[in-house]
Amino acid sequence: MRETTVGVGAGAETLPGAAGATDMVLNIGPQHPATHGVLRLKLVLDGERIVSAEPIIGYMHRGAEKLFEARDYRQIIMLANRHDWLSAFANELGVVLAVERMLGMEVPERAVWTRTLLAELNRVLNHLMFIGSYPLELGGITPVFYAFTAREELQHVLEEASGGRMHYMFNRVGGLKEDLPAGWLGRVRAAVAAVREQLPVYQRLVLGNEIFRARTAGVGVLRPEHVHAYGVTGPIARASGVDFDLRRDEPYLAYGELQDVLSVAVRQEGDCLARFECLLEQTANSLDLADACLDRLGRLPAGPVNQRLPKVLKAPEGETYAWTENPLGVNGYYLVSRGDKTPWRLKLRSASFNNIQALVELLPGTLVADMVAILGSMFFVVGDIDK
């Protein structure tokens, strides 16, 4: 069988051959706007139907894991919060938990609850981006304006506390950079309430839209066996009936005391619509968790939010693995120390890296017209793939 290669993006070329007697190889990317960043998809088509799909990564690889080995334990926080730029606080959290576990360090209670609050606010920020951008990819313009308005409510309070809008650098080994500003908890509560008021808008504009439902219901069904085979986690896995969430199943931070508030969104359909519904339901629950953290922080007495550290911080010789339930799925750091001030090895297990591999199962057999709907419903960040 002959193949005709055509390109969408850089380096495209067409090989001779009669179109009616060949399969077409279509390159989506690496600059195509429908790919959420610098990702390339190599599709083999039979007419309008996808025969096979191969995600090709590495176009923005920055070697973060190797750079971890050349930075001390204070500096690696800067590297850790950048691979998923929508989940910076959650990324920082995983690496400081790993170092604290190696040191056998106990974090002050106020820092534990503040970290939990900020992790859930960061989860809402992440989900709102996809709640707004996914309908946009399918032709719905209005939801993204609501989503970015809601994001600004939370961005203001996070920037007030940390000084950063995306890369917060607020976690430290032993706690947090500094205490919270006066009156900040009240401003957070107001921001959470403002975002919660907007959630019915997405129910009406997106889930209530017959075009959106026609483009997503029954499209891109991910079966549970493929979830397990590829290590898919987060809302994508739970939309396929795989009920796994580290906040409930292996609690860290203050989640062990929040089990009566924590609700894990699960669907059985495994299609694009189910993935969006899980994202929206999880957003509402994260706002509830944030309110619960605010209640607890309001009752805690004044006290430290970090531990005093030596001028040169060295982790004892050994190894550990710290994993957290990041907004997009399980994020893990495997830390190996030789007793120096820098990690000997710090291996990153990112959610998007595993999740995007499932495209090789999702895309074959579907139409090209459904490719963007499926790709957008995977809710990935390319920096989280190219570590």
Side-chain angles (χ1 to χ4, degrees):
M1 180 181 296
R2 291 180 295 172
E3 290 184 349
T4 299
T5 302
V6 299
V8 178
E13 64 178 51
T14 303
L15 301 180
T22 65
D23 281 351
M24 180 183 292
V25 180
L26 182 66
N27 284 294
I28 305 293
Q31 283 83 29
H32 196 277
T35 57
H36 291 252
V38 194
L39 174 72
R40 176 183 167 202
L41 287 178
K42 183 179 178 182
L43 307 178
V44 177
L45 307 179
D46 180 10
E48 288 292 312
R49 197 165 296 278
I50 298 172
V51 177
S52 66
E54 179 186 359
I56 301 174
I57 66 174
Y59 287 93
M60 63 177 298
H61 178 62
R62 294 162 293 175
E65 291 178 329
K66 193 66 181 174
L67 289 172
F68 284 143
E69 301 171 15
R71 305 290 190 275
D72 67 33
Y73 288 109
R74 292 181 175 90
Q75 295 170 326
I76 60 175
I77 299 171
M78 181 275 295
L79 293 170
N81 73 13
R82 279 164 165 74
H83 58 86
D84 175 359
W85 45 77
L86 297 178
S87 309
F89 186 87
N91 300 337
E92 298 173 11
L93 188 60
V95 74
V96 296
L97 289 176
V99 179
E100 288 163 2
R101 185 178 298 172
M102 291 285 285
L103 293 168
M105 181 179 290
E106 185 121 0
V107 176
E109 186 179 14
R110 290 188 68 236
V112 171
W113 282 94
T114 306
R115 280 178 171 179
T116 309
L117 168 63
L118 293 171
E120 291 305 313
L121 295 179
N122 194 192
R123 193 181 311 278
V124 175
L125 278 172
N126 176 290
H127 290 357
L128 284 172
M129 175 64 76
F130 292 107
I131 288 169
S133 68
Y134 185 45
L136 182 64
E137 292 163 7
L138 301 181
I141 299 174
T142 306
V144 73
F145 295 108
Y146 284 97
F148 269 79
T149 301
R151 278 175 55 85
E152 281 302 309
E153 295 284 349
L154 299 179
Q155 290 280 31
H156 288 322
V157 293
L158 282 169
E159 185 176 7
E160 182 187 358
S162 68
R165 283 181 60 84
M166 286 187 68
H167 305 299
Y168 305 109
M169 287 295 294
F170 200 52
N171 275 294
R172 294 292 187 271
V173 176
L176 299 169
K177 181 179 74 172
E178 58 194 9
D179 208 344
L180 301 170
W184 185 80
L185 296 180
R187 291 187 286 277
V188 174
R189 195 177 292 278
V192 167
V195 175
R196 185 181 282 109
E197 286 180 3
Q198 283 197 7
L199 293 185
V201 172
Y202 309 114
Q203 292 280 350
R204 184 177 72 254
L205 285 181
V206 184
L207 291 179
N209 186 288
E210 61 182 25
I211 298 175
F212 179 83
R213 299 187 77 89
R215 292 291 306 274
T216 57
V219 176
V221 176
L222 180 63
R223 296 197 295 274
E225 56 266 30
H226 293 144
V227 169
H228 295 298
Y230 289 93
V232 176
T233 55
I236 300 172
R238 294 191 284 271
S240 295
V242 179
D243 188 2
F244 177 71
D245 190 313
L246 284 173
R247 297 173 299 166
R248 179 197 62 201
D249 302 327
E250 193 174 308
Y252 57 98
L253 295 182
Y255 290 114
E257 299 181 49
L258 291 170
Q259 296 300 303
D260 56 335
V261 182
L262 175 62
S263 173
V264 180
V266 181
R267 296 291 187 276
Q268 301 300 322
E269 294 82 0
D271 57 9
C272 297
L273 180 60
R275 290 190 278 275
F276 186 86
E277 288 176 341
C278 279
L279 209 66
L280 191 56
E281 187 175 326
Q282 189 61 70
T283 301
N285 184 244
S286 289
L287 294 173
D288 294 338
L289 289 168
D291 274 338
C293 291
L294 288 169
D295 292 340
R296 182 60 178 267
L297 282 168
R299 296 194 301 267
L300 288 178
V305 293
N306 50 40
Q307 297 274 23
R308 287 187 62 86
L309 299 176
K311 187 173 182 179
V312 178
L313 180 64
K314 295 183 179 181
E317 187 170 350
E319 60 186 60
T320 190
Y321 181 70
W323 56 349
T324 55
E325 187 68 37
N326 267 33
L328 299 180
V330 171
N331 188 78
Y333 292 97
Y334 175 59
L335 170 62
V336 182
S337 172
R338 294 286 178 87
D340 298 321
K341 65 179 183 179
T342 62
W344 183 78
R345 184 75 173 93
L346 190 56
K347 175 71 173 70
L348 167 60
R349 189 269 189 218
S350 61
S352 297
F353 182 81
N354 286 72
N355 292 356
I356 204 65
Q357 295 180 74
L359 288 173
V360 301
E361 303 289 350
L362 280 177
L363 291 177
T366 64
L367 297 174
V368 176
D370 291 328
M371 185 269 297
V372 172
I374 297 170
L375 190 63
S377 74
M378 297 306 287
F379 310 132
F380 62 89
V381 172
V382 178
D384 206 36
I385 303 170
D386 289 348
K387 304 188 283 289

